[in-house]
Amino acid sequence: MDSSPLQIVWFKCDLRLYDHPALATATVAARGPVLGLVVFEPSLWALPDASGRQAAFYADSLHDLLRAARAADLPIMVETAEMPELLNRLRCSMGSFVLHSHEETGNWASFQRDRAVLAWCREHHIPWHQVPQNGVVRALGSRDDWSRLHDARMSASVLAPPRFTALPARVGGRLPDARSASAEEAALRPWRVLADTDPCPGRQQGGRERGLELLRTFLAGRGASYRFHMSSPGTAEQSCSRLSAHLAWGTLSVREVLHAVWQARSQWQLDNSHPQQRSMLASLKSFESRLHWRCHFMQKLESEPELEFRCLHPATRGLRNEGEPTALDTARLEAWQEGRTGFAFVDACMRYLASTGWINFRMRAMLTSFASQHLWLHWKLTGEHLARLYTDYEPGIHWPQIQMQSGTTGINTIRIYNPEKQRQDQDPGSEFVARWVPELGTATYPTPIVDHLAAAHLARDRLWGLRKDTESKDAARQIFQKHGSRNPACEGVSRSRASVTASPVVTDSSIGEQQTLDF
Protein backbone atom coordinates (compact mmCIF):
# COMPACT_ATOMS: atom_id res chain seq x y z
CA MET A 1 0.00 0.00 0.00
CA ASP A 2 1.31 3.45 -0.93
CA SER A 3 2.36 5.25 2.28
CA SER A 4 3.40 8.51 0.60
CA PRO A 5 1.38 11.45 1.95
CA LEU A 6 -1.28 12.81 -0.36
CA GLN A 7 -0.28 16.15 -1.89
CA ILE A 8 -3.27 18.45 -2.44
CA VAL A 9 -2.71 21.40 -4.78
CA TRP A 10 -5.27 24.15 -4.15
CA PHE A 11 -5.92 26.03 -7.38
CA LYS A 12 -7.18 29.58 -6.84
CA CYS A 13 -6.38 32.33 -9.36
CA ASP A 14 -3.88 30.10 -11.17
CA LEU A 15 -5.97 27.96 -13.53
CA ARG A 16 -3.21 26.28 -15.54
CA LEU A 17 -0.75 23.40 -15.37
CA TYR A 18 2.05 25.22 -17.20
CA ASP A 19 4.53 27.29 -15.13
CA HIS A 20 2.72 26.40 -11.92
CA PRO A 21 5.31 26.42 -9.08
CA ALA A 22 2.89 25.04 -6.47
CA LEU A 23 2.13 22.05 -8.68
CA ALA A 24 5.84 21.53 -9.33
CA THR A 25 6.58 21.67 -5.61
CA ALA A 26 3.89 19.10 -4.87
CA THR A 27 5.09 16.64 -7.51
CA VAL A 28 8.86 17.03 -7.44
CA ALA A 29 9.85 18.00 -3.90
CA ALA A 30 7.23 16.01 -1.99
CA ARG A 31 7.17 12.95 -4.29
CA GLY A 32 3.70 11.91 -3.24
CA PRO A 33 0.49 11.32 -5.20
CA VAL A 34 -1.12 14.64 -6.23
CA LEU A 35 -4.75 15.69 -6.14
CA GLY A 36 -5.90 19.03 -7.51
CA LEU A 37 -8.54 21.00 -5.62
CA VAL A 38 -10.73 23.85 -6.90
CA VAL A 39 -13.25 25.40 -4.51
CA PHE A 40 -16.25 27.63 -5.08
CA GLU A 41 -16.29 29.59 -1.81
CA PRO A 42 -19.79 31.11 -1.43
CA SER A 43 -18.74 33.86 0.97
CA LEU A 44 -16.06 35.19 -1.40
CA TRP A 45 -18.27 35.10 -4.48
CA ALA A 46 -21.00 36.99 -2.57
CA LEU A 47 -18.72 39.97 -1.85
CA PRO A 48 -19.43 43.40 -3.35
CA ASP A 49 -16.34 43.23 -5.57
CA ALA A 50 -17.33 39.87 -7.13
CA SER A 51 -19.63 39.41 -10.11
CA GLY A 52 -21.19 36.96 -12.50
CA ARG A 53 -18.99 38.05 -15.41
CA GLN A 54 -15.93 37.15 -13.36
CA ALA A 55 -17.54 33.81 -12.53
CA ALA A 56 -18.23 33.21 -16.23
CA PHE A 57 -14.59 33.83 -17.14
CA TYR A 58 -13.54 31.56 -14.27
CA ALA A 59 -15.86 28.78 -15.49
CA ASP A 60 -14.43 29.01 -19.01
CA SER A 61 -10.93 28.80 -17.58
CA LEU A 62 -11.75 25.95 -15.21
CA HIS A 63 -13.22 24.02 -18.14
CA ASP A 64 -9.85 24.29 -19.93
CA LEU A 65 -7.97 23.32 -16.78
CA LEU A 66 -10.09 20.20 -16.22
CA ARG A 67 -9.59 19.12 -19.82
CA ALA A 68 -5.81 19.62 -19.58
CA ALA A 69 -5.71 17.82 -16.22
CA ARG A 70 -7.52 14.78 -17.65
CA ALA A 71 -5.00 14.58 -20.46
CA ALA A 72 -2.16 14.78 -17.92
CA ASP A 73 -3.74 12.19 -15.56
CA LEU A 74 -4.12 14.74 -12.76
CA PRO A 75 -7.41 14.24 -10.89
CA ILE A 76 -9.01 17.49 -9.78
CA MET A 77 -11.73 17.67 -7.16
CA VAL A 78 -14.17 20.58 -7.51
CA GLU A 79 -16.13 21.46 -4.39
CA THR A 80 -18.50 24.11 -3.06
CA ALA A 81 -17.65 24.99 0.55
CA GLU A 82 -15.84 27.39 2.82
CA MET A 83 -12.20 26.32 3.04
CA PRO A 84 -11.77 25.41 6.74
CA GLU A 85 -14.98 23.36 6.60
CA LEU A 86 -13.82 21.59 3.44
CA LEU A 87 -10.38 20.87 4.86
CA ASN A 88 -12.04 19.20 7.83
CA ARG A 89 -14.07 17.00 5.49
CA LEU A 90 -11.02 16.07 3.44
CA ARG A 91 -9.05 15.16 6.55
CA CYS A 92 -11.87 12.96 7.81
CA SER A 93 -12.35 11.15 4.50
CA MET A 94 -8.75 10.94 3.25
CA GLY A 95 -6.58 11.16 6.31
CA SER A 96 -3.57 13.43 6.64
CA PHE A 97 -2.26 15.32 3.61
CA VAL A 98 0.07 18.13 2.58
CA LEU A 99 -1.50 21.29 1.19
CA HIS A 100 0.15 23.33 -1.58
CA SER A 101 -0.90 26.63 -3.12
CA HIS A 102 0.48 29.85 -4.53
CA GLU A 103 0.80 32.96 -2.43
CA GLU A 104 -2.16 35.15 -3.28
CA THR A 105 -2.49 38.92 -3.17
CA GLY A 106 -6.26 39.02 -3.17
CA ASN A 107 -8.82 41.16 -1.43
CA TRP A 108 -9.14 41.57 2.33
CA ALA A 109 -11.62 38.69 2.58
CA SER A 110 -9.28 36.23 0.86
CA PHE A 111 -6.47 37.45 3.13
CA GLN A 112 -8.62 36.66 6.19
CA ARG A 113 -9.60 33.31 4.63
CA ASP A 114 -5.93 32.44 4.26
CA ARG A 115 -5.34 33.33 7.89
CA ALA A 116 -8.15 30.96 8.86
CA VAL A 117 -6.69 28.20 6.67
CA LEU A 118 -3.25 28.71 8.21
CA ALA A 119 -4.73 28.50 11.71
CA TRP A 120 -6.58 25.29 10.79
CA CYS A 121 -3.44 23.74 9.28
CA ARG A 122 -1.41 24.54 12.38
CA GLU A 123 -4.08 23.16 14.69
CA HIS A 124 -4.28 19.88 12.76
CA HIS A 125 -0.55 19.61 11.97
CA ILE A 126 -1.16 19.81 8.22
CA PRO A 127 1.81 21.31 6.32
CA TRP A 128 0.80 24.14 4.00
CA HIS A 129 3.40 25.19 1.45
CA GLN A 130 2.69 28.57 -0.17
CA VAL A 131 5.04 29.45 -3.00
CA PRO A 132 5.39 32.61 -5.14
CA GLN A 133 4.05 32.60 -8.68
CA ASN A 134 4.94 36.14 -9.76
CA GLY A 135 7.13 39.10 -8.82
CA VAL A 136 5.16 40.01 -5.68
CA VAL A 137 7.24 39.29 -2.57
CA ARG A 138 5.61 38.24 0.66
CA ALA A 139 6.86 39.60 3.99
CA LEU A 140 8.84 42.26 2.16
CA GLY A 141 11.64 43.61 4.27
CA SER A 142 12.78 46.47 2.04
CA ARG A 143 11.09 48.15 -0.90
CA ASP A 144 14.51 48.91 -2.33
CA ASP A 145 15.32 45.27 -3.03
CA TRP A 146 12.18 44.59 -5.00
CA SER A 147 13.37 45.02 -8.59
CA ARG A 148 16.31 42.71 -8.04
CA LEU A 149 14.12 40.00 -6.53
CA HIS A 150 11.39 40.49 -9.11
CA ASP A 151 13.88 40.21 -11.95
CA ALA A 152 15.46 37.08 -10.48
CA ARG A 153 12.08 35.36 -10.35
CA MET A 154 11.10 36.43 -13.82
CA SER A 155 14.44 35.29 -15.28
CA ALA A 156 14.06 31.78 -13.86
CA SER A 157 13.04 29.04 -16.28
CA VAL A 158 9.39 28.56 -17.13
CA LEU A 159 8.15 25.29 -15.61
CA ALA A 160 6.73 22.57 -17.84
CA PRO A 161 3.71 20.59 -16.57
CA PRO A 162 5.01 17.83 -14.27
CA ARG A 163 4.36 14.09 -14.42
CA PHE A 164 1.89 12.75 -11.90
CA THR A 165 1.85 9.71 -9.64
CA ALA A 166 -1.33 7.63 -9.62
CA LEU A 167 -3.54 8.18 -6.60
CA PRO A 168 -3.75 5.36 -4.06
CA ALA A 169 -7.03 3.43 -4.06
CA ARG A 170 -8.01 4.88 -0.67
CA VAL A 171 -8.16 8.32 -2.25
CA GLY A 172 -9.06 7.62 -5.88
CA GLY A 173 -12.03 5.53 -4.89
CA ARG A 174 -13.57 8.50 -3.08
CA LEU A 175 -13.42 10.87 -6.05
CA PRO A 176 -16.37 11.42 -8.36
CA ASP A 177 -15.79 10.40 -11.97
CA ALA A 178 -15.19 13.76 -13.67
CA ARG A 179 -14.44 12.36 -17.11
CA SER A 180 -17.93 12.78 -18.53
CA ALA A 181 -19.29 16.05 -19.90
CA SER A 182 -22.21 15.94 -17.47
CA ALA A 183 -19.88 15.52 -14.48
CA GLU A 184 -17.81 18.48 -15.63
CA GLU A 185 -20.88 20.68 -16.08
CA ALA A 186 -22.01 19.73 -12.59
CA ALA A 187 -18.61 20.81 -11.28
CA LEU A 188 -18.88 24.15 -13.11
CA ARG A 189 -22.47 24.76 -12.11
CA PRO A 190 -21.91 27.19 -9.15
CA TRP A 191 -19.95 29.56 -11.40
CA ARG A 192 -22.41 29.16 -14.28
CA VAL A 193 -25.39 29.96 -12.03
CA LEU A 194 -23.69 33.12 -10.79
CA ALA A 195 -22.76 34.07 -14.36
CA ASP A 196 -26.44 33.97 -15.36
CA THR A 197 -27.15 36.84 -12.94
CA ASP A 198 -24.82 39.24 -14.75
CA PRO A 199 -25.44 39.61 -18.48
CA CYS A 200 -22.32 40.87 -20.26
CA PRO A 201 -22.88 40.43 -24.00
CA GLY A 202 -19.39 41.52 -25.05
CA ARG A 203 -17.56 39.56 -22.37
CA GLN A 204 -14.13 38.20 -23.19
CA GLN A 205 -14.04 34.40 -23.16
CA GLY A 206 -11.79 32.69 -20.65
CA GLY A 207 -9.59 29.62 -20.89
CA ARG A 208 -5.90 29.02 -21.45
CA GLU A 209 -6.25 28.24 -25.16
CA ARG A 210 -7.84 31.65 -25.80
CA GLY A 211 -5.14 33.34 -23.73
CA LEU A 212 -2.39 31.66 -25.71
CA GLU A 213 -3.99 32.72 -28.99
CA LEU A 214 -4.20 36.34 -27.82
CA LEU A 215 -0.56 36.24 -26.80
CA ARG A 216 0.45 34.73 -30.15
CA THR A 217 -1.38 37.31 -32.26
CA PHE A 218 -0.18 40.23 -30.15
CA LEU A 219 3.46 39.20 -30.45
CA ALA A 220 3.12 38.29 -34.12
CA GLY A 221 2.13 41.82 -35.14
CA ARG A 222 -1.23 42.80 -33.63
CA GLY A 223 0.71 44.78 -31.03
CA ALA A 224 2.42 47.04 -33.57
CA SER A 225 0.09 49.97 -32.79
CA TYR A 226 -0.03 49.22 -29.05
CA ARG A 227 1.76 52.37 -27.88
CA PHE A 228 -0.26 54.69 -30.06
CA HIS A 229 -3.74 53.17 -29.77
CA MET A 230 -3.87 52.07 -26.12
CA SER A 231 -5.32 55.36 -24.85
CA SER A 232 -8.49 55.48 -26.93
CA PRO A 233 -11.38 53.14 -26.06
CA GLY A 234 -12.19 52.94 -29.77
CA THR A 235 -8.81 51.44 -30.71
CA ALA A 236 -7.48 49.85 -27.51
CA GLU A 237 -9.74 46.81 -27.75
CA GLN A 238 -7.74 45.50 -30.72
CA SER A 239 -4.33 47.06 -30.05
CA CYS A 240 -3.89 46.06 -26.40
CA SER A 241 -2.85 42.48 -25.68
CA ARG A 242 -6.16 41.73 -23.91
CA LEU A 243 -4.29 39.40 -21.57
CA SER A 244 -5.33 41.17 -18.36
CA ALA A 245 -8.12 38.73 -17.44
CA HIS A 246 -5.91 35.75 -18.28
CA LEU A 247 -3.22 37.10 -15.96
CA ALA A 248 -5.76 37.93 -13.24
CA TRP A 249 -7.25 34.42 -13.19
CA GLY A 250 -3.97 32.72 -13.95
CA THR A 251 -4.63 30.88 -17.21
CA LEU A 252 -1.24 32.34 -18.18
CA SER A 253 1.59 33.18 -15.81
CA VAL A 254 3.32 36.56 -15.87
CA ARG A 255 6.65 34.78 -16.27
CA GLU A 256 5.64 32.76 -19.32
CA VAL A 257 4.25 35.89 -20.96
CA LEU A 258 7.45 37.78 -20.23
CA HIS A 259 9.59 34.96 -21.65
CA ALA A 260 7.39 34.93 -24.75
CA VAL A 261 7.98 38.68 -25.11
CA TRP A 262 11.75 38.16 -24.92
CA GLN A 263 11.59 35.44 -27.54
CA ALA A 264 9.43 37.55 -29.83
CA ARG A 265 11.82 40.49 -29.47
CA SER A 266 14.73 38.31 -30.58
CA GLN A 267 12.76 37.24 -33.65
CA TRP A 268 11.67 40.79 -34.54
CA GLN A 269 15.24 42.07 -34.17
CA LEU A 270 16.31 39.69 -36.95
CA ASP A 271 13.52 40.73 -39.33
CA ASN A 272 15.01 43.97 -40.68
CA SER A 273 12.88 43.97 -43.81
CA HIS A 274 9.52 43.84 -42.03
CA PRO A 275 7.67 47.20 -42.17
CA GLN A 276 6.39 46.73 -38.58
CA GLN A 277 9.76 45.90 -37.04
CA ARG A 278 10.42 49.26 -35.37
CA SER A 279 6.89 49.69 -34.05
CA MET A 280 6.77 46.11 -32.76
CA LEU A 281 10.10 46.42 -30.96
CA ALA A 282 8.94 49.67 -29.34
CA SER A 283 5.62 48.06 -28.38
CA LEU A 284 7.35 45.02 -26.87
CA LYS A 285 9.54 47.28 -24.76
CA SER A 286 6.50 49.20 -23.55
CA PHE A 287 4.52 46.03 -22.88
CA GLU A 288 7.40 44.48 -20.93
CA SER A 289 7.57 47.54 -18.67
CA ARG A 290 3.86 47.19 -17.92
CA LEU A 291 4.32 43.58 -16.87
CA HIS A 292 6.92 44.86 -14.40
CA TRP A 293 4.57 47.61 -13.18
CA ARG A 294 1.79 45.10 -12.77
CA CYS A 295 3.70 43.29 -10.02
CA HIS A 296 4.83 46.61 -8.58
CA PHE A 297 1.28 47.75 -7.94
CA MET A 298 0.26 44.37 -6.57
CA GLN A 299 3.13 44.67 -4.11
CA LYS A 300 1.43 47.68 -2.56
CA LEU A 301 -1.64 45.70 -1.53
CA GLU A 302 0.54 42.78 -0.46
CA SER A 303 2.47 45.12 1.82
CA GLU A 304 -0.59 46.99 3.07
CA PRO A 305 -3.85 45.00 2.72
CA GLU A 306 -5.82 47.86 4.31
CA LEU A 307 -5.46 49.79 1.03
CA GLU A 308 -8.73 48.16 0.02
CA PHE A 309 -10.73 50.17 2.53
CA ARG A 310 -8.53 52.84 4.15
CA CYS A 311 -7.07 55.97 2.56
CA LEU A 312 -3.31 55.57 2.30
CA HIS A 313 -2.41 59.10 3.44
CA PRO A 314 -3.84 59.83 6.94
CA ALA A 315 -4.76 63.42 6.02
CA THR A 316 -7.22 62.18 3.37
CA ARG A 317 -9.18 59.96 5.75
CA GLY A 318 -12.58 61.53 6.27
CA LEU A 319 -12.08 63.87 3.33
CA ARG A 320 -15.05 62.35 1.52
CA ASN A 321 -18.14 60.89 3.13
CA GLU A 322 -17.07 57.55 4.60
CA GLY A 323 -20.42 56.78 6.22
CA GLU A 324 -23.78 55.96 4.71
CA PRO A 325 -24.20 57.71 1.34
CA THR A 326 -26.33 60.85 1.48
CA ALA A 327 -29.25 61.34 -0.92
CA LEU A 328 -26.96 63.47 -3.10
CA ASP A 329 -24.24 60.80 -3.02
CA THR A 330 -26.75 58.13 -4.01
CA ALA A 331 -28.16 60.15 -6.90
CA ARG A 332 -24.69 60.93 -8.25
CA LEU A 333 -23.52 57.34 -7.76
CA GLU A 334 -26.49 55.91 -9.65
CA ALA A 335 -26.09 58.39 -12.51
CA TRP A 336 -22.39 57.49 -12.80
CA GLN A 337 -23.07 53.73 -12.60
CA GLU A 338 -25.79 53.88 -15.25
CA GLY A 339 -23.91 56.12 -17.68
CA ARG A 340 -26.25 59.11 -17.48
CA THR A 341 -24.11 61.87 -15.96
CA GLY A 342 -24.65 64.21 -18.90
CA PHE A 343 -20.95 63.92 -19.82
CA ALA A 344 -21.17 61.93 -23.02
CA PHE A 345 -17.65 60.50 -23.06
CA VAL A 346 -17.86 59.41 -19.41
CA ASP A 347 -21.25 57.81 -20.03
CA ALA A 348 -20.07 56.08 -23.21
CA CYS A 349 -17.10 54.58 -21.36
CA MET A 350 -19.27 53.35 -18.50
CA ARG A 351 -21.80 51.75 -20.85
CA TYR A 352 -19.04 50.14 -22.89
CA LEU A 353 -17.47 48.74 -19.72
CA ALA A 354 -20.82 47.41 -18.48
CA SER A 355 -21.37 45.65 -21.80
CA THR A 356 -17.87 44.21 -22.31
CA GLY A 357 -16.29 43.79 -18.86
CA TRP A 358 -13.17 45.63 -20.02
CA ILE A 359 -11.95 49.11 -20.90
CA ASN A 360 -8.48 50.54 -21.40
CA PHE A 361 -6.46 51.98 -18.54
CA ARG A 362 -6.75 55.68 -19.36
CA MET A 363 -10.54 55.41 -19.36
CA ARG A 364 -10.48 53.48 -16.09
CA ALA A 365 -8.48 56.34 -14.63
CA MET A 366 -10.91 58.90 -16.03
CA LEU A 367 -13.98 57.06 -14.69
CA THR A 368 -12.43 56.88 -11.22
CA SER A 369 -11.15 60.44 -11.23
CA PHE A 370 -14.51 61.79 -12.42
CA ALA A 371 -16.37 59.93 -9.66
CA SER A 372 -13.90 60.91 -6.94
CA GLN A 373 -13.09 64.48 -7.94
CA HIS A 374 -16.04 65.87 -9.91
CA LEU A 375 -18.77 63.96 -8.05
CA TRP A 376 -16.81 63.82 -4.76
CA LEU A 377 -17.90 60.23 -4.11
CA HIS A 378 -15.93 57.97 -1.81
CA TRP A 379 -13.59 55.73 -3.80
CA LYS A 380 -14.64 52.59 -1.90
CA LEU A 381 -18.21 52.82 -3.25
CA THR A 382 -17.17 53.50 -6.81
CA GLY A 383 -14.22 51.12 -6.61
CA GLU A 384 -16.48 48.21 -5.69
CA HIS A 385 -18.77 48.95 -8.62
CA LEU A 386 -15.86 49.08 -11.06
CA ALA A 387 -14.42 45.89 -9.57
CA ARG A 388 -17.68 44.08 -10.32
CA LEU A 389 -17.68 45.33 -13.90
CA TYR A 390 -14.09 44.29 -14.59
CA THR A 391 -13.73 40.73 -15.86
CA ASP A 392 -10.01 41.21 -15.18
CA TYR A 393 -10.42 42.47 -11.60
CA GLU A 394 -7.05 42.19 -9.87
CA PRO A 395 -7.31 43.60 -6.31
CA GLY A 396 -3.59 44.33 -6.11
CA ILE A 397 -3.76 46.63 -9.12
CA HIS A 398 -7.29 47.89 -8.64
CA TRP A 399 -7.21 49.36 -5.14
CA PRO A 400 -3.83 51.13 -5.34
CA GLN A 401 -4.88 52.59 -8.69
CA ILE A 402 -8.30 53.62 -7.33
CA GLN A 403 -6.58 55.50 -4.51
CA MET A 404 -3.98 56.97 -6.85
CA GLN A 405 -6.66 58.38 -9.17
CA SER A 406 -8.65 59.63 -6.15
CA GLY A 407 -5.72 61.64 -4.77
CA THR A 408 -5.46 59.78 -1.45
CA THR A 409 -1.93 58.34 -1.70
CA GLY A 410 -0.12 61.56 -0.78
CA ILE A 411 2.82 60.72 -3.06
CA ASN A 412 1.32 60.88 -6.56
CA THR A 413 0.51 63.86 -8.73
CA ILE A 414 -3.17 64.75 -8.38
CA ARG A 415 -4.83 63.94 -11.69
CA ILE A 416 -8.23 65.45 -12.47
CA TYR A 417 -9.32 64.55 -15.99
CA ASN A 418 -11.29 67.03 -18.05
CA PRO A 419 -13.98 64.80 -19.61
CA GLU A 420 -14.50 67.12 -22.54
CA LYS A 421 -10.79 67.25 -23.37
CA GLN A 422 -10.59 63.46 -23.08
CA ARG A 423 -13.43 63.19 -25.56
CA GLN A 424 -11.65 65.48 -28.01
CA ASP A 425 -8.32 63.67 -27.59
CA GLN A 426 -9.53 60.05 -27.56
CA ASP A 427 -12.66 60.19 -29.72
CA PRO A 428 -12.11 63.12 -32.09
CA GLY A 429 -14.56 61.78 -34.65
CA SER A 430 -17.18 60.97 -31.98
CA GLU A 431 -17.66 57.44 -33.34
CA PHE A 432 -17.28 55.87 -29.89
CA VAL A 433 -19.74 58.28 -28.26
CA ALA A 434 -22.22 57.90 -31.11
CA ARG A 435 -22.21 54.14 -30.68
CA TRP A 436 -22.67 54.09 -26.91
CA VAL A 437 -24.72 57.26 -26.31
CA PRO A 438 -27.02 57.30 -29.35
CA GLU A 439 -29.55 59.58 -27.59
CA LEU A 440 -27.01 62.41 -27.28
CA GLY A 441 -28.57 65.65 -28.53
CA THR A 442 -32.13 64.52 -27.85
CA ALA A 443 -34.45 65.51 -25.02
CA THR A 444 -33.89 62.15 -23.31
CA TYR A 445 -30.20 62.78 -22.64
CA PRO A 446 -29.62 64.49 -19.24
CA THR A 447 -27.86 67.79 -18.68
CA PRO A 448 -24.43 67.58 -16.97
CA ILE A 449 -24.76 66.47 -13.37
CA VAL A 450 -22.14 69.03 -12.20
CA ASP A 451 -20.28 72.04 -13.54
CA HIS A 452 -17.09 70.16 -14.30
CA LEU A 453 -14.74 73.16 -14.09
CA ALA A 454 -16.11 74.34 -10.74
CA ALA A 455 -16.07 70.78 -9.37
CA ALA A 456 -12.51 70.21 -10.59
CA HIS A 457 -11.22 73.43 -9.04
CA LEU A 458 -12.88 72.63 -5.71
CA ALA A 459 -11.41 69.11 -5.66
CA ARG A 460 -7.95 70.36 -6.58
CA ASP A 461 -8.00 73.00 -3.83
CA ARG A 462 -9.16 70.48 -1.24
CA LEU A 463 -6.54 67.87 -2.15
CA TRP A 464 -3.55 70.17 -2.60
CA GLY A 465 -4.49 71.98 0.60
CA LEU A 466 -3.82 68.78 2.56
CA ARG A 467 -0.22 68.52 1.38
CA LYS A 468 1.20 71.77 2.73
CA ASP A 469 1.84 71.21 6.43
CA THR A 470 4.91 69.51 7.88
CA GLU A 471 2.97 66.59 9.36
CA SER A 472 1.44 65.77 5.97
CA LYS A 473 4.82 65.95 4.25
CA ASP A 474 6.35 63.65 6.87
CA ALA A 475 3.55 61.12 6.34
CA ALA A 476 4.10 61.28 2.57
CA ARG A 477 7.81 60.54 3.04
CA GLN A 478 6.96 57.47 5.11
CA ILE A 479 4.47 56.30 2.47
CA PHE A 480 7.07 56.70 -0.24
CA GLN A 481 9.61 54.80 1.81
CA LYS A 482 7.16 51.91 2.04
CA HIS A 483 5.51 51.97 -1.38
CA GLY A 484 7.34 54.36 -3.69
CA SER A 485 9.34 53.76 -6.83
CA ARG A 486 13.01 52.83 -6.51
CA ASN A 487 16.01 52.61 -8.69
CA PRO A 488 16.86 48.88 -8.74
CA ALA A 489 20.19 49.71 -7.07
CA CYS A 490 18.56 51.16 -3.89
CA GLU A 491 17.08 49.73 -0.64
CA GLY A 492 13.74 50.45 1.38
CA VAL A 493 11.09 49.43 4.05
CA SER A 494 7.74 47.62 4.39
CA ARG A 495 5.21 45.58 6.32
CA SER A 496 3.44 42.61 4.83
CA ARG A 497 1.10 39.67 5.17
CA ALA A 498 3.77 37.80 7.08
CA SER A 499 1.14 36.29 9.38
CA VAL A 500 -0.05 34.13 6.48
CA THR A 501 3.30 32.59 5.60
CA ALA A 502 6.26 30.90 7.14
CA SER A 503 8.72 31.99 4.44
CA PRO A 504 9.61 35.70 4.50
CA VAL A 505 11.23 37.26 1.45
CA VAL A 506 11.86 40.78 0.18
CA THR A 507 11.04 42.95 -2.84
CA ASP A 508 11.40 46.39 -4.35
CA SER A 509 8.98 48.13 -6.61
CA SER A 510 8.58 51.07 -8.91
CA ILE A 511 5.63 53.36 -9.13
CA GLY A 512 5.69 55.61 -12.14
CA GLU A 513 3.35 58.33 -11.05
CA GLN A 514 1.20 58.07 -14.14
CA GLN A 515 2.46 54.80 -15.59
CA THR A 516 -0.38 53.10 -17.44
CA LEU A 517 -1.18 49.42 -17.02
CA ASP A 518 -2.86 48.62 -20.32
CA PHE A 519 -2.77 44.94 -21.23
Side-chain angles (χ1 to χ4, degrees):
M1 183 174 177
D2 191 343
S3 60
S4 300
L6 175 65
Q7 310 294 316
I8 295 182
V9 178
W10 177 17
F11 290 86
K12 295 188 275 184
C13 299
D14 47 7
L15 301 178
R16 63 184 186 277
L17 303 184
Y18 193 78
D19 200 36
H20 197 290
L23 196 57
T25 300
T27 53
V28 178
R31 286 178 289 178
V34 177
L35 170 66
L37 176 65
V38 178
V39 189
F40 180 91
E41 299 171 84
S43 64
L44 295 189
W45 283 102
L47 291 169
D49 58 351
S51 65
R53 61 192 60 196
Q54 296 164 8
F57 191 96
Y58 196 97
D60 293 344
S61 303
L62 180 53
H63 168 80
D64 267 21
L65 174 65
L66 294 176
R67 184 177 60 181
R70 282 197 299 272
D73 294 322
L74 170 66
I76 293 184
M77 175 184 288
V78 183
E79 296 286 334
T80 295
E82 303 299 338
M83 271 306 289
E85 165 206 333
L86 177 59
L87 291 172
N88 264 324
R89 286 185 359 221
L90 293 177
R91 182 169 169 269
C92 291
S93 64
M94 298 181 180
S96 187
F97 55 84
V98 178
L99 184 63
H100 301 263
S101 73
H102 286 136
E103 295 172 349
E104 181 181 16
T105 306
N107 58 16
W108 180 260
S110 71
F111 176 34
Q112 297 304 315
R113 183 273 320 274
D114 282 358
R115 280 181 160 174
V117 168
L118 182 63
W120 183 92
C121 288
R122 286 175 172 168
E123 180 184 353
H124 295 93
H125 307 290
I126 297 292
W128 181 19
H129 300 294
Q130 297 181 80
V131 296
Q133 66 162 329
N134 52 34
V136 179
V137 181
R138 181 152 292 183
L140 178 62
S142 167
R143 206 26 151 144
D144 297 337
D145 289 337
W146 182 80
S147 284
R148 176 178 57 81
L149 295 168
H150 166 277
D151 293 351
R153 287 186 185 177
M154 294 299 103
S155 298
S157 298
V158 173
L159 302 170
R163 297 176 180 273
F164 299 103
T165 303
L167 287 177
R170 66 183 173 83
V171 175
R174 299 176 185 273
L175 295 178
D177 186 352
R179 288 171 294 182
S180 69
S182 60
E184 181 176 297
E185 277 309 305
L188 297 176
R189 180 171 171 73
W191 289 276
R192 300 278 197 222
V193 169
L194 181 55
D196 289 342
T197 68
D198 183 17
C200 186
R203 177 182 69 82
Q204 190 174 0
Q205 300 295 301
R208 178 169 173 81
E209 293 306 313
R210 291 185 178 92
L212 288 172
E213 179 62 10
L214 287 169
L215 178 60
R216 185 192 69 77
T217 60
F218 182 76
L219 299 180
R222 182 170 58 83
S225 58
Y226 174 64
R227 290 187 309 145
F228 307 106
H229 288 172
M230 68 166 66
S231 294
S232 169
T235 56
E237 183 174 324
Q238 292 302 317
S239 297
C240 287
S241 75
R242 301 307 309 278
L243 293 176
S244 55
H246 292 280
L247 292 171
W249 299 106
T251 64
L252 303 178
S253 77
V254 177
R255 181 165 59 189
E256 72 171 301
V257 172
L258 186 56
H259 280 239
V261 169
W262 293 342
Q263 183 178 8
R265 178 187 295 138
S266 297
Q267 294 169 346
W268 278 101
Q269 285 171 338
L270 297 174
D271 200 353
N272 295 320
S273 62
H274 200 292
Q276 291 183 315
Q277 184 196 46
R278 290 183 63 185
S279 57
M280 271 304 300
L281 288 174
S283 289
L284 292 176
K285 180 179 180 181
S286 181
F287 183 67
E288 179 181 352
S289 74
R290 282 160 177 80
L291 292 172
H292 177 96
W293 285 94
R294 183 180 190 276
C295 291
H296 162 71
F297 274 95
M298 292 175 68
Q299 185 67 53
K300 294 173 183 293
L301 190 66
E302 176 68 37
S303 297
E304 191 158 357
E306 295 84 355
L307 272 172
E308 182 183 337
F309 52 81
R310 188 180 70 189
C311 293
L312 181 57
H313 196 290
T316 63
R317 296 168 194 165
L319 181 64
R320 298 178 178 93
N321 177 22
E322 297 189 6
E324 284 296 313
T326 65
L328 178 61
D329 289 342
T330 300
R332 288 182 170 185
L333 177 65
E334 289 176 354
W336 176 81
Q337 290 174 330
E338 296 166 10
R340 50 177 183 81
T341 65
F343 291 89
F345 194 52
V346 171
D347 293 343
C349 288
M350 186 61 84
R351 295 180 192 186
Y352 172 85
L353 172 57
S355 179
T356 66
W358 182 88
I359 198 166
N360 59 317
F361 175 81
R362 180 176 288 273
M363 298 304 99
R364 296 185 190 213
M366 182 191 71
L367 288 172
T368 298
S369 174
F370 183 82
S372 295
Q373 320 298 21
H374 291 86
L375 304 185
W376 207 244
L377 295 170
H378 196 282
W379 54 265
K380 179 63 172 171
L381 276 178
T382 56
E384 285 177 346
H385 180 72
L386 291 173
R388 290 191 294 273
L389 293 183
Y390 294 150
T391 307
D392 59 4
Y393 171 52
E394 179 70 74
I397 296 175
H398 184 71
W399 293 112
Q401 280 290 331
I402 289 286
Q403 288 219 36
M404 183 169 151
Q405 302 303 335
S406 300
T408 57
T409 66
I411 61 173
N412 300 106
T413 299
I414 295 169
R415 293 292 299 272
I416 301 178
Y417 289 76
N418 181 327
E420 294 305 319
K421 184 178 186 303
Q422 289 300 311
R423 177 182 178 180
Q424 294 165 17
D425 291 348
Q426 310 305 339
D427 189 30
S430 295
E431 293 93 347
F432 184 78
V433 166
R435 179 183 175 189
W436 293 99
V437 190
E439 76 276 24
L440 181 64
T442 70
T444 62
Y445 189 65
T447 57
I449 194 170
V450 293
D451 178 321
H452 79 88
L453 289 178
H457 288 149
L458 179 59
R460 183 175 290 110
D461 290 345
R462 285 169 164 171
L463 290 168
W464 280 115
L466 297 173
R467 298 190 173 202
K468 295 178 179 178
D469 62 82
T470 302
E471 186 177 354
S472 179
K473 291 177 180 177
D474 287 344
R477 276 190 284 271
Q478 293 173 21
I479 291 167
F480 180 83
Q481 182 71 1
K482 183 173 182 177
H483 294 294
S485 173
R486 303 289 200 276
N487 181 299
C490 306
E491 308 268 87
V493 209
S494 159
R495 151 181 104 61
S496 183
R497 305 180 183 215
S499 58
V500 183
T501 183
S503 56
V505 218
V506 220
T507 140
D508 137 43
S509 177
S510 339
I511 154 180
E513 306 296 296
Q514 305 310 327
Q515 179 75 23
T516 59
L517 294 171
D518 287 293
F519 293 106

